[in-house]
Structure formats: structure tokens, C-alpha cells
Amino acid sequence: MSSQDQQIDTETAVQSTQEDRMEGADDRFNSKLREAFGSSPFILTKFDQFMNWVRGSSMFMLQFGIACCSIEMMATYAIKHDLDRFGAGIPRASPRQADVIIVPGTIVSKFAPRMKRVYDQMPEPKFVVSMGSCTISGGPFQQGYNVVKGAEEVIPCDIHVPGCPPRPEALIYGVAKLQERTANGESSPVTVKPYELEQFGDLEQDELVDHLAQDIDEETLVMRYNWADSP
Amino acid sequence: MSLEDPQDQRGAQEGELVGVTDEGVDYDALEALLGDHVIGRESHVNAEAFVIRPDEVQDVLFALRDEAGFDHCSAVTAQEYEDRYESIYHLKKYDDPTQEVGVVVPTSKRAPRSQSAEPVYRTADWHEREAYDLIGIDYDEHPDLRRILLPETWQGHPMGLDYNQDQPQVVTFESHTNPLAEDQEDDESDTMFINIGPHHPATHGVLHLKTVLDGEQVADVKPDIGYLHRCEEQMAQSGKYRKEIMPYPDRWDYSSAGILNEWSYARAAEDLADLEVPEYAQVIRTMAAELSRMAGHMLAVGTFALDVYGDFTAIFQYAFRDREKILNLLEDLTGQRLMFNYLRLGGVAWDLPEPREEYFDKIRDFLDELPATVEEYHNLLSSNEIFQIRCVDTGVLEPDVAKSHGATGPVARGSGIDYDLRRDDPYGYYPELDWNVITEDGCDNYARVLCRLQEVEQSARIIEQCVDLLAEWPEEDREIQSNVPRTLRPDEDAEIYRAVEAAKGELGIYIRSDGTDKPARFKIRSPCFSNLQTLPEMAEGEYVPDMVASLGSLDIILGEVDR
């Protein structure tokens, strides 16, 4: 081996990080996609389709625990089940950073207005996975005097995951279904009978409203529950 | 065991207390102590109860607390009869919870007013607010008699007899104003009000803390609960004793501590209906209950690490890894991961899974790994400097304050109160087994976490002994359920208050029977409800992050706080 060759070898070995980066930059950034699309560097797609694919592939979940189901939801995020494998595993503490809200538990009269507000704070497009029987119908507590008979009384839901509580596998299946639908641009037919947040002054006058009029300001936001009409 | 010599102290005190004999409580001596205050006497299954006038509550309770040593107001049950309202104070002693007495306060139907017990037992504050909220009894001299579980604008008292469940309700959504603002005359030291929750990562569910800050320090904190009040008592009252109530206890403390909750109902109902439980079933119950306790404590430790130093990647995941192992064992046993519904009145639902040897091996494998796992927790958590800075000497809860608030479980034991119903009020198979009650003297957040970690080891000891017993159990003696009548109808007007040591502390059930197959009143004394009351004591004057740490160290489960 000549001394010149040795010289070159040493040079290669001390190649700077910057040079290293420049070399093969294309491979580094594009390799997988390049392989997938062949020699053409262009992908032809509709922008909407592309956005749907993006949305379905990276979902930020709202860190939102209500009741028993949230324990199973945590188990779904944690090791063994690891929802992150499916591109949907980052719990965000703020609703303003979240795409998906998993509603994991019983909704009661005092909490429904707050949940509505949290949902309203999420940016569009937003999706709702209702987890467990309580969010479908009130579940085992349906007969309770204080229990809202399902999440759909308050906010629209895209996916229902039944169970009491659903196993983590079931929740993963629900989230995967949601991703699939989102990626395909399908939306769920939403049938909501909403309990809206409205100003107290806008409520229909009846005995109850008259009775409360001295305690509640006209502009206060309220939610009115007509339990007799609930399923 | 950290208390120096509890037996001697106990003996010294008892000499001066009224009504203490070797056979338990001498109720005649207590009646003599109370004298004219007593207008009647009732026999509950667990203890005698004195009926007193509603305007003499404090006199009676002061006497019972100071002269007779009843320092633990375990629960306050309120109920409505056809002809009267009634509040029952269930009193116990921290030194010996088998010494119990009830104080029954009837009030008239027309104007249900009763004197508050809050000056005697501070824990009565929330209990009486709950009674006011759900039943509608007014407590005179109560410092802050408002609704606690239901929204302020709620109409009617839903656990009363003539409540119409179909009437509409209006619930407000308001931002709260600073309750201390008016007190601040000095412009430079004005306070700031912040709402922590009801949707907040640090509140362990849907708890709302109305917090007033002075600079960075907590000037005032008021827990606002009821965001998960899902009518557990109503559900239990509309179910039949035999099978329709048992699924609900799983959903009180849902941190996979379900078996412990089921046991509280099973114990109360079995004592009420006088049912036997075969010894074999008791061993299985003990083993399953301790597995549950371990899973619950793992969750507590994992989420606590998440609270105090954002440890989502190590401790939290480790804790869930170990929980999964426990849940697998429980799933093999009960068929469910979280809502076990495994206990039955008079025994358990079915025998251990076949092949038994394989199941025992699985448990033993888990137990063999456990010491190394706990060591790992100690390395990562309790000997972590950041963790120690956050936890040592923060959230201090003095023992007498804890007692006055009715704190139990690891919260009490972390304050040096040597109180564990598994030992002090024995049930199940615990008295036959060799294990220790863990206490820590630190009174701070750190002590409470150490308690839980050590209790996990003690649970492992109990399970190990149970597995050995079960493996040796002769095949012909494996009776899993005693003979229980198809329809249970306990005697009319039988009343009982019974508690077990759940993962969070003393979980008590009060049942009154009216001779039908459903309970006439079913009251849940939740340990978290009482423990949460201590939060202002620990947090006021401290920094906000220390309050979050204190809240985490209480290990509340909102399903059990709100019921």
C-alpha cells in the first residue's frame, strides 16, 4: 500500500460532520419515498387527499381522563399496548394542540358543560372517540339522576368503542378505524341531540327558569337538561 | 414498625377512658356518661347507637371524643324515613377500630335542622355537606353549608324520598371570582385566582381546585368535587343484594383495586345477612385483594412520578409494565382486566384457573421478580435527588390533623398513625398470615410514597403465603361458596356499618334493610373523600408545584371521591 493511499484513508476518517451530511443528502431525506415512487421525484395527488393522509397518520390525542376507562386509556398509551406505534400516541395536555379527544368515562351534569368547552377549544378538524358504555348510553349508570345518557348528548362522536371498560386492544382498534376513515376522507354521519351551552337569558321561560332567575345572571352560560326526554 | 411502643401508650390512655373493658365497649357506661342527652338506644349489627336530640350533637360528640376516646368519625350517613330525617355519626377509635359507637340524630320532617359536628370532627364538614346535598338536612353552625356533589343550581335532594328524577335541571358554566379579593386592602399584595381543573393533567381525573395564589404561594385552595358523581348509592339501592350490586364496587376505586371494593360490600352484606364464607374462599379473596392492592399502588406511584417530575418515560412506564403483569394474573383468575366482579356474597365466583400448578407458577414467577423491581423503583424514584427535593418536607400532614380529618390508609400511615383494618379489625384470612403494617413518621409526600412502595412488598408476602396455602389445600375441601339463599332479605330495620382496608384506606359501607331484597339505604364511606379534605392543610402556604405533589401523594380516585 502506497503512502498516498494511506493519506487518503486518514482523510476519509477525519471527514467533518458537515461533509458527511452533504454526502448522500438525497438518500437521507428521500430514500424510502423515492423507492416507493420510482424514478420520478413527483407525487401526483389531490391536496385534500394528501391532507387526509397526513391527518390520519399523525394524530395528537387530548390527555383527557374522566373515569374508569381512562385507566385503560393510560394502559393503551403505556408499554405493551403502545398506541404510539400507530401514529396516535402523543397525549397533549392542551385541547388547542389536539386533534382527537377520547372521551373515557361517565359524563355527569356538572361535567358536561366543561367537556363541551374543552371540545370547543380544539382546532378543526377534530375527531371524537367515545370510549366505553357510559359514553354510548350512560352504561351501568344510565338510571342515575345525574348522568348524561351518552357523549352524543353533548358533542358529536366519530367512533364508539363499546365495553365496560373496553380492553386496550379494542381502543387501538377504534383509533385505527378512525385513522382509516380519516385517511380515506370519510366522515361519520353525526346524529346529535345536543345539550348546548347557552345564555341563561335565552332559555325558554318556565317554572324552573323563573325560580332560578334571581340566582343566575342573564348572560351566564348554562346547560339545560331535560331528563324526561333522554332515552 | 416505626412507632416506639404503641401498646404501652394505648394501655396508659385506656385507663382514663370511659366505657373501655376487656370485652370491648361498655355501652351502659357510655350511656351513663352522656346522661340526659340520650333519648333512645338502637342496636346496629356492628355497634350500639345512641339517639340524641338534634341541638345537642356537639355536646355528645365532644364527650364521646374527649372522655371516651372516639377520635375517628368514620362516616356520616343521612337518610330519610317516612316520618323523619336521620343523621348517623359512625364513630371509631384509631387505636382500636373494633370499638365503635353510632350516634343517631333524628330531625323532624318539616324542618330538618341539626347541629353540625364540624367543630368536633373536621371531617364532618364535607360529610354534612354531602348529607345536605343529597338528602336535604340543614346543619346549624356549619361553616360552609353548600352543595358539594351536585351543581349549585340543582333543584331538589335526589336521595330523598319524593325526588322526581325527570324534572329538568339547569347547570351553569361560570368562571369563578377570587374569593379573597375583597380582603386585600394592600395594593401590593393582591392575590390571583386560578382554576386547576376540572380538566387538568395533574388532578388525576376531573377534580377542580379553586386556588388563590399570593405570588407563587398557595393562599387558599378549595377542592370542588362532583364532576364524576354518578349516583353509585342510588345504583346500589336499586339493585338486589345477591348479584346486582356487586358489579358497582369495581367502579368506585377503578385503579384496578376492584376486589378490595367488592370485599367491602361483601363484608357488610354478609354480616348483615349472617352469611358464612368458607375458609378456602377467604384465602382466595385475600390473595386476589392483595394483587389488587399492588396494582393500585403501582398506579399511584407511576402517576405520582408523572406529577412531580414529569417522568412519563421511566417510572410511569415501569409501573404500567408491572401492573400489566398483575392484571394478567387477575384476568386469569376473574376473566376481566379491570372490573372483576369476582366476589360473591358467601364466597367467590369460581375456583382458581386450571391447571392450578401453572397459575401458581405464574404468581410465583411474578413474586420472584418483585424484589428486584421494587429495588428498581427505589433506585429511580425514592433515591432520586430531584424527587427527594420535591417530596421531602413538602405537604406535611401532622397526625392529629390527619385524625381530625378522618384520613386513613397510606395517607394516615405516612403520618405515623398505626392504623390498618386488616390487622385492627380482622377479616378474611389476614389474622392467620405473617405480615407487617407499614408506618412512616415523615408526615410528608415522601413518607406516603415510601409507605406505598413498602406495602407492595408486604402484599407480596401475603400473596406468597396464600399461594402456598392454596397449593396445599386438599381437593375435597375446596368450597368456594357457602349456601346462600337465592333471594336475600335481611331482617327489617337491620342496620350495619362495616369497613375494610381498601387500597386508599378505610372503605366503609352502611346498609339499612327494610325487609325487601334491595337495601333501603346504601351509603359508601370512601377513603379518598376524607383524604382529599386534608389537601388544604398540606397545601396552604406552599408553592403550587408542591400542592400538585401533595395531591398526587394523596392518591385520590375521583370515582371514589364523588361516587
Side-chain angles (χ1 to χ4, degrees):
Chain A
M1 196 181 267
S2 72
S3 63
Q4 202 183 353
D5 282 346
Q6 268 183 350
Q7 182 70 27
I8 289 166
D9 273 356
T10 333
E11 271 179 15
T12 323
V14 296
Q15 194 177 28
S16 73
T17 316
Q18 197 174 12
E19 286 164 330
D20 207 24
R21 282 219 165 150
M22 297 309 292
E23 245 171 59
D26 289 349
D27 301 344
R28 181 191 281 280
F29 292 116
N30 280 335
S31 57
K32 289 290 176 204
L33 276 178
R34 273 284 171 77
E35 276 169 35
F37 293 111
S39 57
S40 163
F42 302 108
I43 308 163
L44 274 177
T45 180
K46 288 182 192 155
F47 185 70
D48 284 355
Q49 249 169 20
F50 174 71
M51 285 310 289
N52 285 338
W53 173 75
V54 170
R55 274 179 198 133
S57 308
S58 166
M59 289 192 147
F60 281 18
M61 320 306 259
L62 180 64
Q63 186 178 341
F64 185 68
I66 302 179
C68 335
C69 283
S70 57
I71 303 288
E72 284 298 65
M73 187 184 72
M74 280 153 72
T76 315
Y77 289 135
I79 51 179
K80 183 173 173 188
H81 298 102
D82 192 8
L83 190 58
D84 207 9
R85 289 177 297 166
F86 304 96
I90 310 177
R92 309 302 302 186
S94 164
R96 292 167 216 278
Q97 299 168 346
D99 304 315
V100 182
I101 175 174
I102 300 178
V103 186
T106 320
I107 302 150
V108 303
S109 67
K110 202 170 170 181
F111 191 61
R114 275 76 179 173
M115 187 178 80
K116 176 87 176 166
R117 177 50 60 97
V118 168
Y119 173 78
D120 288 345
Q121 286 173 343
M122 288 167 62
E124 293 278 359
K126 51 193 167 190
F127 307 96
V128 181
V129 176
S130 83
M131 180 181 184
S133 306
C134 290
T135 56
I136 293 170
S137 65
F141 306 101
Q142 195 189 23
Q143 304 300 319
Y145 50 80
N146 192 29
V147 175
V148 175
K149 317 307 184 233
E152 284 209 326
E153 304 271 298
V154 185
I155 58 176
C157 299
D158 294 274
I159 297 278
H160 289 288
V161 183
C164 188
R167 297 176 65 88
E169 293 90 330
L171 180 62
I172 292 176
Y173 180 70
V175 172
K177 269 285 171 211
L178 176 66
Q179 289 179 311
E180 192 183 304
R181 300 185 67 122
T182 313
N184 292 334
E186 296 169 18
S187 60
S188 312
V190 173
T191 45
V192 201
K193 194 193 74 176
Y195 284 136
E196 286 290 351
L197 273 177
E198 50 197 327
Q199 288 194 343
F200 184 70
D202 296 345
L203 287 182
E204 214 174 295
Q205 294 289 317
D206 64 1
E207 204 182 332
L208 174 66
V209 172
D210 287 342
H211 181 72
L212 287 169
Q214 54 206 4
D215 300 329
I216 305 180
D217 195 80
E218 290 241 315
E219 286 171 10
T220 305
L221 288 176
V222 296
M223 200 173 261
R224 186 196 161 100
Y225 299 98
N226 297 316
W227 298 119
D229 301 341
S230 290
Chain B
M1 304 286 271
S2 45
L3 281 188
E4 283 168 2
D5 203 350
Q7 288 303 328
D8 274 7
Q9 282 177 2
R10 207 174 289 176
Q13 267 184 357
E14 277 173 7
E16 301 151 14
L17 297 175
V18 178
V20 178
T21 58
D22 290 341
E23 289 92 50
V25 186
D26 179 0
Y27 291 103
D28 295 329
L30 288 181
E31 191 170 347
L33 169 74
L34 299 178
D36 289 347
H37 293 308
V38 179
I39 54 173
R41 198 158 144 176
E42 290 181 8
S43 276
H44 297 176
V45 177
N46 60 313
E48 294 283 299
F50 300 116
V51 183
I52 61 165
R53 259 184 285 275
D55 54 352
E56 292 171 350
V57 175
Q58 285 177 13
D59 290 343
V60 170
L61 294 183
F62 269 124
L64 286 173
R65 188 190 75 178
D66 298 334
E67 311 287 325
F70 288 97
D71 55 353
H72 181 28
C73 178
S74 183
V76 182
T77 303
Q79 52 188 333
E80 185 180 356
Y81 287 86
E82 290 297 336
D83 60 340
R84 66 182 189 280
Y85 287 91
E86 198 175 276
S87 326
I88 308 176
Y89 297 85
H90 304 282
L91 307 182
K92 290 188 179 188
K93 295 179 182 178
Y94 272 103
D95 282 339
D96 180 6
T98 56
Q99 299 189 14
E100 297 176 60
V101 67
V103 176
V104 179
V105 190
T107 51
S108 75
K109 193 93 177 179
R110 202 167 42 80
R113 303 192 75 84
S114 178
Q115 198 180 26
S116 169
E118 197 271 344
V120 194
Y121 303 103
R122 294 179 61 192
T123 183
D125 180 355
W126 279 22
H127 284 285
E128 285 173 351
R129 275 177 70 188
E130 185 190 321
Y132 163 72
D133 191 357
L134 301 184
I135 309 286
I137 301 176
D138 281 317
Y139 290 91
D140 290 329
E141 299 167 49
H142 190 284
D144 185 22
L145 195 65
R146 289 178 293 124
R147 287 188 182 271
I148 184 166
L149 295 173
L150 291 167
E152 295 265 331
T153 50
W154 199 265
Q155 299 299 307
H157 301 279
M159 297 297 280
L161 291 179
D162 55 354
Y163 180 71
N164 173 17
Q165 200 177 319
D166 284 341
Q167 64 176 317
Q169 300 284 354
V170 170
V171 176
T172 58
F173 176 88
E174 286 178 304
S175 56
H176 301 273
T177 48
N178 183 349
L180 285 195
E182 290 165 22
D183 300 342
Q184 299 299 335
E185 292 169 4
D186 181 5
D187 284 344
E188 284 170 12
S189 65
D190 61 345
T191 54
M192 185 174 83
F193 177 79
I194 54 169
N195 288 306
I196 302 179
H199 160 235
H200 189 278
T203 54
H204 287 225
V206 281
L207 171 67
H208 176 200
L209 298 174
K210 299 175 178 177
T211 317
V212 179
L213 300 182
D214 185 1
E216 219 182 316
Q217 281 173 321
V218 177
D220 182 54
V221 55
K222 286 204 171 59
D224 172 27
I225 62 174
Y227 292 95
L228 194 53
H229 173 57
R230 43 188 183 179
C231 327
E232 299 274 12
E233 288 173 6
Q234 183 202 12
M235 293 295 105
Q237 278 169 215
S238 54
K240 292 178 186 160
Y241 287 103
R242 179 83 194 278
K243 283 186 173 152
E244 292 175 3
I245 297 176
M246 197 55 92
Y248 285 100
D250 286 317
R251 289 158 179 85
W252 303 340
D253 173 0
Y254 43 69
S255 67
S256 41
I259 303 268
L260 298 153
N261 306 348
E262 289 172 23
W263 205 343
S264 72
Y265 167 60
R267 190 178 184 210
E270 281 157 6
D271 285 357
L272 183 71
D274 205 14
L275 302 174
E276 289 292 318
V277 184
E279 212 167 315
Y280 180 67
Q282 291 284 27
V283 182
I284 297 182
R285 279 183 178 188
T286 309
M287 181 188 78
E290 291 307 310
L291 281 169
S292 267
R293 187 185 312 276
M294 282 166 97
H297 280 354
M298 293 284 183
L299 183 80
V301 170
T303 49
F304 185 59
L306 188 62
D307 281 345
V308 295
Y309 63 117
D311 190 350
F312 187 66
T313 44
I315 287 289
F316 181 79
Q317 305 285 358
Y318 280 28
F320 267 82
R321 175 197 66 190
D322 297 322
R323 271 186 92 242
E324 286 292 338
K325 290 180 193 162
I326 302 169
L327 294 190
N328 284 343
L329 293 173
L330 281 168
E331 191 181 347
D332 285 351
L333 180 65
T334 67
Q336 249 278 27
R337 273 172 61 89
L338 208 58
M339 301 303 168
F340 309 108
N341 191 15
Y342 178 60
L343 266 50
R344 295 285 181 274
L345 298 189
V348 293
W350 46 69
D351 202 349
L352 300 173
E354 295 288 344
R356 291 163 66 94
E357 281 313 314
E358 201 177 296
Y359 186 61
F360 293 140
D361 286 344
K362 272 190 196 171
I363 299 182
R364 288 198 178 109
D365 285 348
F366 167 69
L367 295 178
D368 287 344
E369 291 170 15
L370 194 76
T373 314
V374 175
E375 189 60 35
E376 208 168 39
Y377 285 114
H378 281 300
N379 286 338
L380 276 164
L381 195 71
S382 54
S383 53
N384 179 330
E385 203 180 324
I386 305 174
F387 183 79
Q388 289 180 0
I389 292 171
R390 290 294 312 278
C391 294
V392 175
D393 283 339
T394 60
V396 175
L397 181 66
E398 297 298 339
D400 50 338
V401 179
K403 282 183 180 177
S404 171
H405 280 96
T408 48
V411 176
R413 291 194 286 272
S415 289
I417 301 171
D418 192 14
Y419 181 76
D420 190 323
L421 292 179
R422 288 175 289 173
R423 180 201 58 195
D424 299 337
D425 184 13
Y427 59 97
Y429 213 70
Y430 292 109
E432 323 294 325
L433 305 172
D434 178 29
W435 58 283
N436 291 331
V437 176
I438 302 294
T439 53
E440 286 283 335
D441 281 343
C443 305
D444 53 5
N445 296 336
Y446 193 63
R448 290 187 274 278
V449 174
L450 283 188
C451 252
R452 292 204 178 89
L453 282 173
Q454 293 175 70
E455 274 178 26
V456 166
E457 292 174 315
Q458 295 300 329
S459 294
R461 276 178 69 184
I462 297 175
I463 296 167
E464 201 169 6
Q465 295 168 52
C466 288
V467 169
D468 290 345
L469 281 167
L470 290 171
E472 302 288 310
W473 212 274
E475 197 165 342
E476 61 278 10
D477 283 353
R478 289 179 195 161
E479 195 193 343
I480 54 161
Q481 256 187 58
S482 61
N483 204 359
V484 179
R486 185 173 292 267
T487 309
L488 276 180
R489 287 194 184 82
D491 299 337
E492 196 172 343
D493 280 333
E495 297 176 50
I496 189 169
Y497 175 75
R498 268 279 184 269
V500 301
E501 186 73 24
K504 320 294 189 240
E506 177 179 334
L507 176 57
I509 305 295
Y510 168 86
I511 303 177
R512 176 170 64 88
S513 161
D514 57 359
T516 64
D517 53 0
K518 294 174 181 173
R521 179 79 174 105
F522 190 98
K523 155 88 185 163
I524 307 158
R525 187 268 183 204
S526 127
C528 296
F529 184 76
S530 297
N531 289 354
L532 181 59
Q533 281 188 72
T534 63
L535 181 69
E537 297 286 344
M538 295 195 278
E540 280 169 18
E542 304 254 1
Y543 294 118
V544 185
D546 291 340
M547 182 185 75
V548 170
S550 301
L551 181 64
S553 79
L554 284 179
D555 185 26
I556 50 159
I557 294 287
L558 267 301
E560 200 177 50
V561 175
D562 295 346
R563 287 150 291 145

